[in-house]
Amino acid sequence: MREEILNLLGNQQGEYVSGESISHSLNISRAAVWKQIQGLKEAGYEIEAQTKKGYCLVKAPASLDEWALKQELKTGYLGKTLRLFEELPSTNDWCKDLVRQGEESGTVVIAKRQTVGRGRMQRAWQSPTGGLWMSVLLKPKLNLADAAKLTLSTGVALARAIHTLYGLEAGIKWPNDLVYQGKKIAGILGEVVGEWNSVQTLILGIGVNADFEIQDLSPELPATTLRTILGHEINLNQLAAEILRQLEHEVQALEQGDVAGLKERWTTCAVGIGHAVEIERAGEKFAGVFHGINENGELILDYDGREQAFSSGEVRLRYNAGQYSP
Ligand code: BTN
């Protein structure tokens, strides 16, 4: 019912639709229409009501809302099946259960807050209301080696989405943290469901510190939020839709074999290339100069005059030039 009313109002956004025509179209009483409209207003929809004229949808909410997100969505298949929750332990874990139930590729799970959000390297991920906590279920037409590059693609999609929407030059810190002035805005947790040696399902977990103040995160975290940086409200529906649009584009590029293009786009968004970094692998430290990534997505370190490749699963990267040191 809610969606049907929104469709009627949304089809004529900015214009008045009479209560009578809504009640007639949906076969409900005028009082029931009024009640639904009150519910929509409480959910953040700006709806004007005028006697004799009816109702006019002025603005959809900036907070997460399925109808509003779908209005913004400009993808072919990503997010066409959308599951939005008030709260979940972790959207990645929920997605894993969906995979076991045979869910199709492209499904997106979003939670307004997570109680047990997970980050890379078994870290906890703080997920207060106002963030974008989203997992994308993908069955890409890729071999495992290329499918693993999708976390890099996701980093590119995030950086580009934030640039497109806000003109903000956020950088990717290898492998796929999104940082601004050395502080983390977003992170990606890519997970594989199934056997490692067969092409299976990937879950791309995306966490963006978006529409909340930095005070909502523990002070010791080297993090920031889009709202803190930009000083205005962040429309989470718009943000989710733009990330999914960019991500779909990146997935298609990789499926068409454009690994070189991914490397180039990733490098354009990256921070720290040419800078001194320190890599930590199983307790051992390697100090050198960050030379970018190779076509496998591995970090290339100029170490003692020779190039050494490091893969993301096993290392920690620190560098000072970007003031980033988790
Ligand atoms: C990182 O450590 O940088 C990765 C953070 C990934 C967080 C996201 S939020 C949505 C999804 N669900 C989770 O539990 N984690 C990912």
Side-chain angles (χ1 to χ4, degrees):
M1 187 58 64
R2 179 187 197 269
E3 194 178 324
E4 285 161 323
I5 293 191
L6 281 169
N7 288 340
L8 288 173
L9 295 177
N11 283 341
Q12 299 181 52
Q13 188 155 0
E15 283 171 37
Y16 281 85
V17 183
S18 74
E20 194 184 340
S21 76
I22 299 174
S23 93
H24 189 252
S25 307
L26 303 181
N27 204 17
I28 55 172
S29 68
R30 297 275 295 273
V33 173
W34 183 86
K35 207 168 161 212
Q36 288 287 337
I37 297 282
Q38 297 318 303
L40 290 171
K41 283 182 174 172
E42 276 158 29
Y45 281 88
E46 226 176 277
I47 298 172
E48 273 172 15
Q50 274 196 26
T51 22
K52 296 211 173 106
K53 284 170 106 181
Y55 302 104
C56 170
L57 174 59
V58 179
K59 215 168 140 210
S63 57
L64 286 164
D65 178 274
E66 188 166 339
W67 188 86
L69 203 161
K70 287 216 162 139
Q71 298 303 300
E72 299 284 349
L73 207 57
K74 294 174 190 76
T75 53
Y77 72 102
L78 279 195
K80 291 290 161 182
T81 303
L82 183 67
R83 298 175 188 268
L84 173 62
F85 297 85
E86 286 297 314
E87 181 180 290
L88 281 181
S90 154
T91 53
N92 266 34
D93 292 346
W94 193 268
C95 242
K96 277 188 197 162
D97 284 344
L98 290 180
V99 174
R100 292 185 195 108
Q101 291 161 32
E103 188 81 6
E104 61 193 13
S105 184
T107 291
V108 170
V109 176
I110 300 181
K112 293 187 182 174
R113 55 185 180 274
Q114 297 183 120
T115 50
V116 201
R118 293 188 294 108
R120 288 178 61 237
M121 300 181 161
Q122 277 81 50
R123 293 185 188 125
W125 181 262
Q126 296 182 13
S127 316
T129 302
L132 179 61
W133 321 125
M134 164 164 93
S135 297
V136 181
L137 191 160
L138 273 184
K139 297 181 183 176
K141 298 178 203 84
L142 293 170
N143 61 38
L144 188 60
D146 282 342
K149 295 178 187 124
L150 279 171
T151 56
L152 298 177
S153 310
T154 311
V156 172
L158 271 174
R160 290 191 153 202
I162 283 169
H163 186 255
T164 304
L165 290 175
Y166 316 116
L168 192 71
E169 300 275 353
I172 305 174
K173 177 185 167 271
W174 184 85
N176 45 39
D177 284 352
L178 205 69
V179 297
Y180 183 73
Q181 293 182 345
K183 293 193 173 159
K184 187 154 165 173
I185 305 174
I188 295 155
L189 178 65
E191 297 187 286
V192 175
V193 186
E195 310 264 320
W196 264 104
N197 53 4
S198 62
V199 175
Q200 50 320 75
T201 308
L202 291 180
I203 293 167
L204 296 170
I206 300 169
V208 189
N209 300 332
D211 196 34
F212 59 88
E213 296 295 343
I214 188 60
Q215 289 80 356
D216 293 347
L217 293 176
S218 299
E220 71 275 7
L221 288 178
T224 188
T225 76
L226 287 173
R227 191 159 89 188
T228 307
I229 298 166
L230 296 165
H232 62 70
E233 180 182 66
I234 304 298
N235 185 318
L236 294 176
N237 302 306
Q238 232 173 43
L239 177 61
E242 183 58 18
I243 292 171
L244 292 172
R245 188 181 75 84
Q246 297 278 357
L247 181 59
E248 188 169 282
H249 182 78
E250 289 299 325
V251 175
Q252 264 159 16
L254 211 51
E255 285 181 337
Q256 284 159 11
D258 185 23
V259 176
L262 167 62
K263 184 182 162 199
E264 191 187 309
R265 290 189 293 281
W266 188 92
T267 304
T268 308
C269 300
V271 291
I273 295 180
H275 288 276
V277 297
E278 191 181 82
I279 303 278
E280 197 183 317
R281 182 169 62 187
E284 197 181 352
K285 289 183 178 161
F286 303 80
V289 176
F290 177 25
H291 272 193
I293 55 168
N294 62 18
E295 295 208 347
N296 296 326
E298 293 166 321
L299 179 147
I300 303 300
L301 183 75
D302 184 334
Y303 172 68
D304 266 356
R306 61 198 163 88
E307 291 201 330
Q308 193 161 336
F310 292 84
S311 71
S312 61
E314 49 179 5
V315 303
R316 244 172 238 273
L317 166 73
R318 290 170 202 272
Y319 70 95
N320 295 325
Q323 304 148 17
Y324 188 85
S325 183

